[in-house]
C-alpha cells in the first residue's frame, strides 16, 4: 500500500471522526436532556396538537396547582376536560382573583385565614424554580403582564446563600444578573391566577364540584378506567365517562386509595414514606415606606464577591441552610412578592417556632455568624412589627408512590396518571413541590403529543410511558431531599432505609460545596441542576470530579460564613 494512500485515508478518517464524535456527543447529550429533564418537551407545550384533539373526556381529580397545570395541558389534547374539585370555595369569584389578606388572631399572634380547607399550605409563601415561569409563559400568552398586575414579579434566584457552612456563589456568567428569571409571589395568588387563566383561556375545560370516590374499570389487568364516580355536594352520585384520568388530589392521593381498594397489585408496598420531622414558620410583613431605598442604602455585599446585592433584582437577601451534622436550623429573609418581606425560620426537630417579631429576632440572634445587615433589616421593619402574619407548619410525612413499578408489570389502568403531590410529596424546605407539578404536567404533554393513539383512544402503553418518564425526571427530587434529611438524627427513615442511607450523596455534597468558588463549571452545574435545567449526572463531569478529588485529598478551609 502506498504511503500517499495511507495518509489520504488517515486524513479522511480524521475528517470523519471529528464531526462523528461531535455528532455522537450531541446526540447523547440530547437524549440525556430528553430523559432527565422537561426542557425539550417545554418547547412544544402550548402548541396545538397536530392530528386534532382526542375524542372523549380527560377527568382531572383535584383543581389545585397540579390539577390546573394538568388541565391546561390536556385542553390541547382532549375534546373535553373536566376538573373535579370538592372545595366549594374554589368555585367563587374570590378563587379567581388576587388573594385578600384576611387576618385571623390566634394565641397572641396574627395569621392568615386559609380559604382552602384541604390545602394546608395555601397561605404559605412559596419559592419556585425556573421551569414554572417558562411553563406559564408558554401556555398563557401575556402571562407576564397579568402576573405583574397580581403582585408577582420576576427576579433572579441569586442570593447570599450559606449551605452547610459554605457560601454558594453565583456562576460567574450570572453575576451581572443575567440568569433566567424565576417567578416570585405567593401560592395563594398562584393557584387563583392559574384557575382564572385556565377558566378564561380554555373553553373545553369544565369545573365540576364534587369528590372523586370511585373508578369503574374494565375486566382485564391494565384495562382502562371507563368512568369516574363523583360524589356531588348534595350527596348524589354522578358517573363521568373518561378517556383519561389524572389524579391531582394531593395528600388525599385518591387514585392510590381507589386503586389499592380495587386490589390492583399490592400498591401500598409501592409507597415509600419517611418522617422529615421538620417544622418552620414564616413571618411576613408589609413593606414599610421607603423600604427598598433603605435596603439599597445598606449596600449589602454579595458573599461571592460579585459586588453589591441588587435588592430589586433578587428576592433572597440571606439564606442559612444548616449542615444537619452540626446544626438543625433553616433561616431565610426574602421578598415574598412586590409588597411583602418575610423571615422563614425553623428546621429539623424544632419544637418551638417564632411567631412574633421579637421571637423572630431572638431566633435569628441565636444562629451562628448572622451578617449584621440581617439585623438592620429587622430594624427597617420596626414600623410594621405589629402588622406581621405568622404561618407555622409541621411536616411529618413525605411520600413517593412508585407507580412506575406497577405500570411496568402492566396492572395499572393504562389511562391513569398522577401529577403533583398525589404521586410524591417532598420536604418543603427545598421548595420544589410546584416545580414537581410542572414536571408532571409537561411530561404528560410530551407523552400525549408523541405516543401513537389507537382507534379506541389512548395507547395501551400510555400510563406506563408516563410513569417511567416521570420517575426518571423526579427521582433526583426525592433522593436529594431524603438523603439530605437523613443527615439529621431526629428524622425517621423510610422502611428499609437507615440514617446511613444516602451517605455518599451527603459526603459528595460536603466536597462539592467548598469547590464552587474555584470551579465555575461546578457552580454553573449546581445552579442549573437546582433549577432542573440539566440532567443530574452532569455533576459528575470530569472537571468537577477532579476538583472534588483534590478537595478530598487536600481539604480547603471552610468558607467564611
Ligand atoms: C408548608 C409547606 C410549604 C411549601 N412550600 C413550598 C415552596 O416554597 N415551593 C414549592 O414549590 N412547594 C412548596 N410546597 C409544596 C407545594 O405546596 C405542593 O407541592 C403543591 O401545592 C401540591 O399541589 P397539588 O395540586 O399536587 O396538591 P394540593 O395543592 O394539595 O391540591 C389537591 C387538590 O385535590 C383536591 N381533592 C382532594 N380530594 C379529592 C377528591 N377525592 N376528588 C377530587 N379532588 C380532591 C383538594 O381539594 C385540592 O384542591 C410546600 C408545602 C408545604 C406543606
Amino acid at each position: 500500500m502506498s504511503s500517499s494512500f495511507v495518509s489520504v485515508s488517515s486524513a479522511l478518517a480524521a475528517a470523519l471522526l471529528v464531526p462523528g464524535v461531535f455528532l455522537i456527543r450531541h446526540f447523547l447529550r440530547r437524549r440525556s436532556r430528553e430523559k432527565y429533564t422537561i426542557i425539550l418537551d417545554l418547547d412544544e407545550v402550548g402548541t396545538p396538537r397536530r392530528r386534532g384533539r382526542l375524542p372523549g373526556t380527560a377527568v382531572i381529580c383535584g383543581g389545585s396547582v397540579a390539577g390546573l397545570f394538568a388541565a391546561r395541558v390536556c385542553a390541547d389534547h382532549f375534546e373535553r376536560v373536566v376538573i373535579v374539585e370538592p372545595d366549594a370555595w374554589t368555585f367563587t369569584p374570590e378563587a379567581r382573583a388576587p388573594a385578600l389578606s384576611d387576618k385571623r388572631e390566634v394565641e397572641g399572634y396574627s395569621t392568615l385565614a386559609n380559604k382552602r380547607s384541604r390545602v394546608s399550605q395555601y397561605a404559605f409563601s412559596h419559592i419556585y424554580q425556573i421551569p414554572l415561569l417558562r411553563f406559564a409563559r408558554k401556555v398563557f400568552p401575556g402571562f407576564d403582564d397579568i402576573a405583574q398586575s397580581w403582585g408577582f414579579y420576576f427576579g433572579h434566584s441569586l442570593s447570599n446563600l450559606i449551605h452547610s457552612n459554605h457560601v454558594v456563589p453565583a456562576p460567574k456568567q450570572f453575576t451581572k444578573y443575567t440568569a433566567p428569571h424565576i417567578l416570585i409571589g405567593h401560592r395563594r395568588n398562584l393557584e387563583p391566577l392559574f384557575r382564572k387563566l385556565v377558566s378564561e383561556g380554555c373553553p373545553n375545560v369544565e369545573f365540576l364540584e364534587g369528590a372523586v370516590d370511585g373508578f369503574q374499570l374494565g375486566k382485564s389487568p391494565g384495562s382502562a378506567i371507563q368512568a369516574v364516580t363523583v360524589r356531588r355536594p348534595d350527596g348524589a352520585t354522578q358517573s363521568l365517562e373518561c378517556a383519561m384520568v389524572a389524579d391531582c388530589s394531593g395528600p388525599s392521593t385518591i387514585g392510590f386509595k381507589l386503586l389499592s381498594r380495587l386490589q390492583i397489585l399490592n400498591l401500598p408496598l409501592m409507597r415509600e414514606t419517611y418522617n422529615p420531622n421538620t417544622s418552620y414558620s414564616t413571618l411576613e410583613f408589609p413593606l414599610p415606606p421607603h423600604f427598598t431605598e433603605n435596603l439599597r442604602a445598606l449596600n449589602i455585599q454579595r458573599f461571592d464577591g460579585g459586588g453589591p446585592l441588587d435588592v430589586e433584582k433578587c428576592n433572597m437577601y440571606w439564606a442559612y441552610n444548616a449542615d444537619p451534622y452540626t446544626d438543625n436550623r433553616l433561616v431565610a429573609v426574602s421578598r415574598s412578592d412586590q409588597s411583602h418581606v418575610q423571615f422563614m425560620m425553623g428546621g429539623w426537630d424544632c419544637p418551638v417556632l417564632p411567631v412574633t417579631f421579637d421571637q423572630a429576632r431572638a431566633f435569628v440572634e441565636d444562629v451562628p455568624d448572622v451578617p449584621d445587615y440581617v439585623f438592620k433589616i429587622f430594624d427597617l421593619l420596626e414600623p410594621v412589627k405589629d402588622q406581621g402574619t405568622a404561618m407555622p407548619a409541621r411536616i411529618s410525612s413525605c411520600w413517593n408512590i412508585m407507580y412506575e413499578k406497577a405500570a411496568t408489570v402492566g396492572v395499572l389502568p393504562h389511562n391513569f396518571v398522577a401529577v403533583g403531590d398525589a404521586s410524591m410529596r417532598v420536604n418543603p424546605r427545598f421548595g420544589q413541590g410546584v416545580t414537581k407539578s410542572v414536571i408532571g404536567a409537561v411530561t404528560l404533554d410530551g407523552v400525549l403529543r408523541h405516543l401513537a393513539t389507537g382507534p379506541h383512544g389512548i395507547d395501551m402503553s400510555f400510563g406506563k410511558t408516563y410513569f417511567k418518564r416521570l420517575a426518571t425526571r423526579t427521582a433526583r427530587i426525592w433522593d436529594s431531599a431524603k438523603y439530605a434529611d437523613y443527615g439529621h438524627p431526629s428524622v425517621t427513615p423510610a422502611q428499609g432505609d437507615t440514617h446511613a442511607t444516602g451517605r455518599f450523596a451527603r459526603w459528595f455534597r460536603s466536597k462539592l460545596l467548598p469547590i464552587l468558588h474555584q470551579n465555575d463549571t461546578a457552580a454553573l452545574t449546581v445552579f442549573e441542576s437546582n433549577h432542573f435545567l440539566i440532567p443530574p449526572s452532569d455533576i459528575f463531569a470530569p472537571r468537577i470530579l477532579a476538583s472534588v478529588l483534590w478537595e478530598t485529598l487536600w481539604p480547603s478551609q471552610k468558607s467564611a460564613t
Side-chain angles (χ1 to χ4, degrees):
M1 213 182 293
S2 76
S3 64
S4 63
F5 177 77
V6 172
S7 52
V8 168
S9 45
S10 311
L12 197 65
L16 288 174
L17 191 68
V18 174
V21 168
F22 179 79
L23 276 177
I24 290 169
R25 275 194 60 187
H26 178 77
F27 172 77
L28 291 177
R29 178 91 196 120
R30 195 182 157 84
R31 281 286 301 134
S32 171
R33 289 178 76 207
E34 204 169 33
K35 190 169 171 187
Y36 293 102
T37 78
I38 55 166
I39 296 309
L40 300 180
D41 280 347
L42 261 176
D43 288 342
E44 287 185 296
V45 157
T47 59
R49 193 184 159 81
R50 244 179 274 135
R51 281 157 293 153
R53 290 192 176 109
L54 295 166
T57 305
V59 175
I60 314 291
C61 315
S64 183
V65 286
L68 293 164
F69 297 166
R72 170 59 193 88
V73 155
C74 287
D76 288 332
H77 295 283
F78 291 91
E79 280 173 352
R80 182 176 178 233
V81 181
V82 178
I83 300 178
V84 182
E85 168 59 52
D87 187 342
W89 179 80
T90 64
F91 293 82
T92 64
E94 203 186 329
R96 288 168 169 74
L100 305 168
S101 292
D102 291 348
K103 281 194 189 178
R104 200 162 60 88
E105 295 303 316
V106 279
E107 295 165 19
Y109 69 93
S110 299
T111 186
L112 286 176
N114 184 359
K115 300 296 172 75
R116 295 279 271 121
S117 50
R118 292 167 188 255
V119 182
S120 61
Q121 72 275 24
Y122 188 69
F124 266 81
S125 290
H126 276 40
I127 53 167
Y128 317 108
Q129 290 80 32
I130 291 165
L132 171 68
L133 185 57
R134 288 207 180 159
F135 172 69
R137 284 174 170 165
K138 286 287 298 193
V139 295
F140 297 114
F143 178 80
D144 286 18
D145 289 342
I146 181 163
Q148 262 167 326
S149 70
W150 277 48
F152 288 94
Y153 73 105
F154 314 105
H156 298 277
S157 66
L158 309 172
S159 55
N160 275 349
L161 167 63
I162 307 293
H163 194 307
S164 300
N165 304 332
H166 294 280
V167 169
V168 179
K172 291 209 168 45
Q173 70 186 77
F174 296 151
T175 46
K176 296 286 175 241
Y177 298 98
T178 51
H181 277 146
I182 49 166
L183 185 68
I184 297 164
H186 292 122
R187 192 197 180 288
R188 60 181 182 271
N189 269 336
L190 187 80
E191 191 190 305
L193 177 58
F194 272 88
R195 188 172 291 115
K196 178 184 165 71
L197 292 171
V198 169
S199 62
E200 290 177 0
C202 307
N204 59 339
V205 176
E206 297 162 35
F207 292 78
L208 177 73
E209 190 178 341
V212 169
D213 71 352
F215 290 157
Q216 292 159 35
L217 286 184
K219 294 267 181 302
S220 55
S223 61
I225 299 175
Q226 290 163 348
V228 168
T229 316
V230 179
R231 196 169 13 86
R232 302 297 311 276
D234 61 2
T237 295
Q238 181 174 343
S239 180
L240 268 179
E241 270 187 34
C242 58
M244 190 207 83
V245 178
D247 181 10
C248 304
S249 64
S252 296
T253 58
I254 189 66
F256 176 72
K257 283 179 190 145
L258 295 175
L259 293 172
S260 302
R261 209 181 293 160
L262 289 164
Q263 296 182 329
I264 302 277
L265 204 71
N266 195 342
L267 274 179
L269 283 184
M270 294 182 176
R271 180 182 161 119
E272 192 182 17
T273 314
Y274 76 97
N275 176 357
N277 192 24
T278 300
S279 49
Y280 69 91
S281 71
T282 52
L283 189 55
E284 187 178 67
F285 300 92
L287 296 190
H290 312 298
F291 177 81
T292 308
E293 296 91 303
N294 291 337
L295 189 64
R296 202 181 310 116
L298 293 181
N299 197 22
I300 300 169
Q301 293 300 306
R302 297 178 58 117
F303 293 164
D304 60 11
L309 193 76
D310 190 328
V311 293
E312 275 157 293
K313 288 189 177 149
C314 73
N315 70 324
M316 191 70 80
Y317 306 136
W318 180 64
Y320 168 82
N321 221 329
D323 177 350
Y325 291 119
T326 57
D327 191 8
N328 66 331
R329 282 165 296 186
L330 165 79
V331 185
V333 53
S334 62
R335 275 283 274 278
S336 45
D337 71 356
Q338 283 172 20
S339 46
H340 292 88
V341 66
Q342 67 172 8
F343 279 86
M344 188 203 290
M345 301 145 294
W348 295 285
D349 199 22
C350 228
V352 182
L353 296 175
V355 284
T356 64
F357 183 89
D358 293 334
Q359 289 170 6
R361 194 170 185 134
F363 187 95
V364 177
E365 274 168 357
D366 201 38
V367 170
D369 303 314
V370 182
D372 213 31
Y373 72 82
V374 173
F375 297 106
K376 290 188 175 144
I377 295 177
F378 271 112
D379 295 342
L380 293 179
L381 293 174
E382 280 279 348
V384 291
K385 65 182 282 188
D386 297 326
Q387 296 174 41
T389 45
M391 301 293 302
R394 297 199 181 277
I395 318 294
S396 56
S397 176
C398 294
W399 59 82
N400 180 15
I401 304 175
M402 290 169 273
Y403 279 120
E404 69 281 6
K405 295 193 176 162
T408 306
V409 289
V411 292
L412 271 192
H414 71 261
N415 61 346
F416 171 81
V417 295
V419 183
D421 284 13
S423 73
M424 181 193 289
R425 170 170 269 194
V426 285
N427 190 340
R429 70 191 285 270
F430 304 103
Q432 299 165 324
V434 172
T435 302
K436 185 167 51 61
S437 298
V438 172
I439 294 174
V442 175
T443 300
L444 179 59
D445 185 78
V447 179
L448 283 168
R449 213 168 273 281
H450 295 292
L451 207 66
T453 49
H456 307 298
I458 56 181
D459 193 273
M460 283 298 286
S461 61
F462 169 73
K464 176 177 159 182
T465 309
Y466 169 80
F467 281 120
K468 206 171 143 204
R469 279 191 203 171
L470 182 74
T472 311
R473 291 171 176 183
T474 54
R476 69 168 116 181
I477 302 182
W478 178 252
D479 290 343
S480 62
K482 186 176 84 162
Y483 295 156
D485 280 338
Y486 283 3
H488 198 267
S490 73
V491 170
T492 310
Q495 208 177 0
D497 286 353
T498 67
H499 282 280
T501 309
R503 201 167 32 194
F504 171 75
R506 291 189 293 278
W507 170 84
F508 189 80
R509 188 196 55 203
S510 74
K511 299 296 164 202
L512 181 67
L513 289 171
I515 68 162
L516 299 182
H517 264 288
Q518 310 100 40
N519 189 325
D520 196 46
T521 307
L524 181 62
T525 305
V526 165
F527 178 91
E528 292 187 325
S529 183
N530 285 345
H531 286 277
F532 305 99
L533 305 178
I534 53 169
S537 54
D538 281 16
I539 204 66
F540 299 117
R543 284 182 66 182
I544 302 175
L545 285 184
S547 294
V548 166
L549 181 65
W550 186 272
E551 176 64 28
T552 308
L553 297 173
W554 294 281
S556 57
Q557 290 289 318
K558 283 201 162 184
S559 307
T561 53

